[in-house]
Amino acid sequence: MGLHMWMLAMSSALLQGCCSTRFFYFGASFGLETSVVGDTLQVHVYYRGINLPCSQNLDGICVALNCTKSRTQTVRDSNHTATWCMLDGGTVIHRNNTSLLHIRPSGCCWSPFVGSQKEIENLQFTFSLLADLGNRSDSGAINAPPQPPLLPVLRVPQNCAAMYNLTIYERDGDILRCHYGLRTRHECAHCTQQPFFMLDQESCVLQYNGRGTYGTYSIELIIEDYPRETILLTHSDGTQTLHSAFEEASSTSFNQRAKALSSIPMQFVIIVDRAVSECAFGIFRPVFIHPTPPNGARIPASLYDEVTFTISAISLNERITAFTVAGPHGLHKSDTWSVNDDRTVSVNISWSVGVHDAPKQVPVCFLSITSSGLQSEPQCIWILLNTALPDQQSLGPDLQCLTDVMILSVPRNLVANLPENSLQLNDASCNITGNTTHLLLKIPLSGCGTKLLEDEFHYIFTNKIISRSRNETLAQAERVAIPVTCKFHRSNNGSKEHNLLNSTTKRMFGDYSFEIQFSKEFNSSRRTAKAHSPFDATSKDHLYISVIANSNVTALSLYVESCQMSEEYNSSTGITLLHQGCLNNSVAEEHQTGNQKEKVYSIKLSSLPQRTSQVFVTCNVQLCTNTYSSKPCVLRCGSVSSSQMEQSDMQHVSAGPIRIKKESNFGPNYAAVTVGLGLGGTVVYVVLILLKRSFVGLHYRSRTRNSTWTRPF
């Protein structure tokens, strides 16, 4: 607990000081890809890094690499680690020959959270990246270095052993080895090897033995690949490099004669935290369960595909509150949901290929976190991209991109001569038709699962023909996968393409309207509350307010951004029921309906000021749809719209008045009793006046006789 408080306090102090302009390095990983353009070799160096605490004004890794692009995502998944930022970017190096690439960037500075407090405060981070980019004699392709993933900020209980499989991707089938960075080679900055962290160099697995001391430790590694057989790497200038086969007998020694094909840095941080009473995963520390993809899983994807998967974790004695996901830019994480009394918690992850610039091997690492800050072991998967555009001519002689439909003719031999009922589009309910030689499809731009994507220059409509069979596994069922894509240039000058986008967006929501209905009981018959149409209630009633979206499009969700009750029609001031999607719990209550197009709230009218005799309800509302899947679009308190969502314009809807009749809390006979008492009091008062007039002198005489009758009339 002391470490938690120190980190949060340290973060607050730094953020209030110079942190807005400084960079605090917390680890990074790198990938390298090549492409040949004319006679020039383009080397794309990709990086992913962590900045803790965040510095919004500077990406120190980008500065060190002299990068050409850089992006920052803020991660706020846990209250037990200071808010951190995930960075990604890259640079392009142009070379005239395929020779050895060796870069040694450095920058300022490692986060002061990391390492001994006795070290200098401004310790520069450094890493060495080396790769022989010659053409391999075994495959004929340019050598591809291994690529490590970016691990999130890791935490481990002080008394619990842990194992971290680094899950490195290696395309060429070479032998991987891992070792700690060496200061003499400028491969590290801290260059410390703690005795309680042990690295299995052959399997690239880091182990913690459960006997460490509290602290935050840097792990600075080098990933190397070696050929299984002796190969020659030929460079464009005619020179060659011989790489001997790796000698398994000397696999633990790096002084062997075999020369590494590549050396790629991987740096991350592990926090050794407070001890726990039970170390087994699933008891307090969460553990991943089905249907979570296994660690190291590889998911193939094509251009404009949507990759989706679910991760689920369980903890019997702790509440899982968050999932930390380190993945590509544009990745979307849904809200969590739970089963089994909140012990099992799940979240959906989705990412659309081609919308965002990314390397061909994309890692996604994730872990789950409990309310007390305990973590599961991290897991990483790889999305392997085939980003080449399909040869549309091979799909048939005619792919027409019209203003509202894609018309496509596909030779049957391209779909393995499968019948129409064995094929489907993204939306399986849309029929596929054809003749004896071709499939003939008219795919609407706003239906049948067509997705609207965007890049910097285009609006992109995409769908896919896939095979389906209830008797086959998922892998078999999608053995036919033909993407269908129409691209339109972005424009803001009223062009045909721009108008097309606007009309397509309208078709996403159809003809729609909003209304408000009132009732005094939940799920009772309701009356449409039109403007200036009164609804009668008493101050004792619960008022149920139903906000309803009317549209013939099924895959829509209603988002209520705000609602107010006021004494004037169509007013934006008054008693706030919702603000920015967040319910005012002290005033109103939300009721679940199971209908994505309806929201129901209730309020006790007795909670309104006593002088209130009538009120109106005004709400700001809009529709939302998920453009990348058929799953409901969800916007609620604290959530942020993403590139996967399409939203209609915000609209005002008002209804009322609600006429409130005042009633007392003394029960249904209160009025009659009050009238009776009032009439009775009047009679008694008249009698007393008559008595006063008849005995006007009695008061004086009574007092002179020391009488106890002292009350005058």
Side-chain angles (χ1 to χ4, degrees):
M1 184 62 69
L3 182 62
H4 301 163
M5 298 304 295
W6 173 75
M7 288 189 69
L8 292 173
M10 186 73 170
S11 174
S12 176
L14 290 170
L15 289 172
Q16 293 173 3
C18 63
C19 189
S20 61
T21 58
R22 292 186 59 188
F23 178 78
F24 294 96
Y25 181 78
F26 224 70
S29 67
F30 297 84
L32 190 152
E33 294 179 359
T34 58
S35 60
V36 178
V37 180
D39 296 331
T40 302
L41 178 69
Q42 292 186 348
V43 183
H44 301 261
V45 180
Y46 297 97
Y47 72 87
R48 294 182 177 87
I50 292 177
N51 177 206
L52 191 159
C54 290
S55 172
Q56 297 296 333
N57 298 331
L58 181 68
D59 178 348
I61 306 175
C62 180
V63 173
L65 283 173
N66 191 24
C67 73
T68 55
K69 60 180 179 180
S70 176
R71 292 172 295 211
T72 301
Q73 303 175 61
T74 302
V75 180
R76 297 187 181 94
D77 285 343
S78 173
N79 293 327
H80 301 275
T81 300
T83 298
W84 54 281
C85 281
M86 185 167 59
L87 316 168
D88 73 282
T91 188
V92 180
I93 301 174
H94 300 274
R95 302 176 65 88
N96 293 325
N97 58 75
T98 55
S99 58
L100 189 69
L101 173 71
H102 193 188
I103 57 176
R104 290 179 175 175
S106 62
C108 185
C109 286
W110 270 96
S111 171
F113 291 169
V114 181
S116 170
Q117 296 302 297
K118 295 181 181 179
E119 293 181 299
I120 58 174
E121 180 181 355
N122 296 326
L123 179 63
Q124 286 200 333
F125 59 85
T126 183
F127 34 78
S128 174
L129 190 152
L130 183 148
D132 190 331
L133 300 178
N135 289 80
R136 298 171 61 112
S137 59
D138 56 349
S139 66
I142 296 176
N143 179 54
Q147 183 177 339
L150 173 69
L151 294 177
V153 179
L154 303 179
R155 308 175 72 90
V156 60
Q158 182 269 336
N159 61 320
C160 296
M163 182 178 296
Y164 301 103
N165 188 330
L166 302 184
T167 324
I168 298 157
Y169 178 78
E170 211 294 315
R171 190 187 72 180
D172 292 332
D174 295 322
I175 294 173
L176 290 178
R177 290 296 182 263
C178 304
H179 67 91
Y180 282 102
L182 301 176
R183 189 184 300 275
T184 55
R185 298 181 183 177
H186 305 282
E187 296 172 338
C188 56
H190 290 102
C191 300
T192 53
Q193 299 181 32
Q194 303 295 339
F196 39 83
F197 288 117
M198 294 158 288
L199 179 65
D200 186 329
Q201 298 181 355
E202 294 186 32
S203 61
C204 290
V205 171
L206 181 70
Q207 299 179 13
Y208 169 69
N209 64 9
R211 295 190 294 272
T213 55
Y214 296 115
T216 304
Y217 302 96
S218 62
I219 309 294
E220 300 166 287
L221 304 179
I222 293 294
I223 315 301
E224 296 185 335
D225 58 338
Y226 297 86
R228 296 182 181 275
E229 298 178 356
T230 299
I231 63 172
L232 281 173
L233 265 63
T234 303
H235 309 128
S236 57
D237 60 1
T239 61
Q240 292 181 324
T241 304
L242 178 69
H243 288 266
S244 302
F246 186 80
E247 301 175 14
E248 293 291 347
S250 60
S251 60
T252 59
S253 171
F254 288 89
N255 294 320
Q256 57 179 350
R257 291 189 303 172
K259 183 191 302 181
L261 294 164
S262 318
S263 297
I264 307 297
M266 179 183 187
Q267 300 179 356
F268 56 97
V269 167
I270 299 179
I271 301 170
V272 177
D273 208 348
R274 61 179 177 84
V276 294
S277 59
E278 174 58 58
C279 289
F281 284 101
I283 306 302
F284 292 101
R285 303 163 73 189
V287 63
F288 285 115
I289 59 174
H290 180 79
T292 306
N295 192 39
R298 299 183 179 186
I299 302 176
S302 300
L303 190 66
Y304 304 126
D305 271 353
E306 182 190 26
V307 178
T308 61
F309 57 94
T310 300
I311 54 179
S312 299
I314 187 171
S315 174
L316 297 179
N317 294 289
E318 288 261 358
R319 184 168 60 91
I320 297 173
T321 56
F323 291 89
T324 296
V325 182
H329 185 76
L331 181 142
H332 175 69
K333 180 176 65 174
S334 74
D335 292 329
T336 58
W337 73 89
S338 60
V339 295
N340 300 333
D341 299 325
D342 294 335
R343 293 177 178 176
T344 301
V345 180
S346 303
V347 68
N348 279 339
I349 307 298
S350 59
W351 183 63
S352 291
V353 180
V355 180
H356 309 282
D357 186 22
K360 294 180 181 179
Q361 296 85 36
V362 181
V364 180
C365 296
F366 47 86
L367 51 81
S368 57
I369 310 171
T370 70
S371 57
S372 66
L374 297 178
Q375 288 185 350
S376 65
E377 288 185 336
Q379 292 191 188
C380 298
I381 66 169
W382 288 89
I383 302 172
L384 308 182
L385 307 185
N386 176 15
T387 55
L389 281 170
D391 181 6
Q392 293 185 343
Q393 295 300 321
S394 67
L395 298 181
D398 190 13
L399 171 62
Q400 301 180 54
C401 298
L402 305 182
T403 58
D404 60 347
V405 69
M406 296 182 286
I407 300 178
L408 179 67
S409 173
V410 182
R412 286 189 177 274
N413 60 355
L414 292 183
V415 294
N417 292 311
L418 291 172
E420 289 90 335
N421 59 8
S422 295
L423 299 168
Q424 70 171 67
L425 296 170
N426 282 342
D427 185 345
S429 64
C430 291
N431 294 326
I432 292 179
T433 60
N435 56 30
T436 57
T437 60
H438 288 75
L439 298 178
L440 305 173
L441 296 93
K442 289 187 176 181
I443 307 172
L445 299 186
S446 58
C448 292
T450 300
K451 303 167 187 176
L452 172 60
L453 311 178
E454 298 180 44
D455 61 21
E456 185 177 357
F457 303 106
H458 300 92
Y459 297 116
I460 304 159
F461 296 90
T462 181
N463 210 311
K464 184 166 58 176
I465 304 172
I466 59 175
S467 57
R468 60 180 175 184
S469 174
R470 296 180 180 179
N471 298 322
E472 294 177 335
T473 65
L474 178 63
Q476 294 172 326
E478 293 195 6
R479 67 174 182 266
V480 171
I482 299 178
V484 184
T485 302
C486 282
K487 299 173 69 173
F488 298 90
H489 286 285
R490 297 172 68 107
S491 175
N492 294 319
N493 57 7
S495 67
K496 175 182 176 181
E497 289 82 2
H498 183 64
N499 293 330
L500 169 67
L501 176 72
N502 291 336
S503 61
T504 302
T505 300
K506 291 179 181 178
R507 289 195 295 272
M508 286 184 176
F509 302 104
D511 294 327
Y512 63 90
S513 62
F514 301 99
E515 63 177 319
I516 296 177
Q517 296 182 356
F518 298 137
S519 66
K520 298 177 184 179
E521 293 182 2
F522 183 50
N523 287 335
S524 68
S525 59
R526 291 164 293 193
R527 180 186 63 75
T528 301
K530 298 181 180 179
H532 308 297
S533 178
F535 180 85
D536 294 324
T538 70
S539 58
K540 295 190 310 173
D541 288 331
H542 267 73
L543 177 69
Y544 290 86
I545 305 167
S546 298
V547 185
I548 301 171
N550 299 306
S551 174
N552 57 357
V553 180
T554 57
L556 297 180
S557 298
L558 170 66
Y559 173 57
V560 182
E561 192 273 340
S562 62
C563 275
Q564 293 83 28
M565 296 187 75
S566 59
E567 296 185 16
E568 297 180 4
Y569 177 73
N570 201 22
S571 174
S572 60
T573 61
I575 298 174
T576 299
L577 306 181
L578 292 98
H579 179 63
Q580 295 182 348
C582 299
L583 185 70
N584 184 350
N585 293 296
S586 63
V587 174
E589 180 181 0
E590 183 173 0
H591 303 270
Q592 301 301 319
T593 66
N595 183 356
Q596 294 291 334
K597 299 179 186 177
E598 180 181 15
K599 302 290 184 182
V600 178
Y601 312 99
S602 67
I603 184 173
K604 295 180 180 179
L605 294 178
S606 60
S607 65
L608 301 180
Q610 291 298 316
R611 61 179 176 83
T612 305
S613 60
Q614 74 174 22
V615 290
F616 297 86
V617 175
T618 300
C619 299
N620 290 334
V621 294
Q622 66 179 166
L623 289 173
C624 173
T625 184
N626 192 330
T627 57
Y628 296 161
S629 75
S630 58
K631 297 176 182 177
C633 169
V634 178
L635 276 176
R636 54 170 60 97
C637 178
S639 63
V640 179
S641 62
S642 71
S643 60
Q644 301 197 2
M645 297 180 182
E646 190 73 30
Q647 296 165 256
S648 69
D649 294 334
M650 190 74 70
Q651 294 190 16
H652 288 280
V653 57
S654 297
I658 304 160
R659 298 189 302 201
I660 305 172
K661 183 179 180 181
K662 300 298 179 184
E663 290 194 8
S664 172
N665 294 325
F666 287 100
N669 296 322
Y670 173 76
V673 172
T674 302
V675 173
L677 289 175
L679 292 175
T682 302
V683 174
V684 171
Y685 183 66
V686 172
V687 171
L688 291 177
I689 291 175
L690 293 175
L691 286 173
K692 180 176 182 181
R693 290 179 178 177
S694 300
F695 299 99
V696 66
L698 181 60
H699 175 70
Y700 176 78
R701 289 194 296 270
S702 298
R703 294 188 62 167
T704 59
R705 296 177 183 178
N706 296 322
S707 171
T708 58
W709 185 279
T710 60
R711 182 178 180 183
F713 294 94

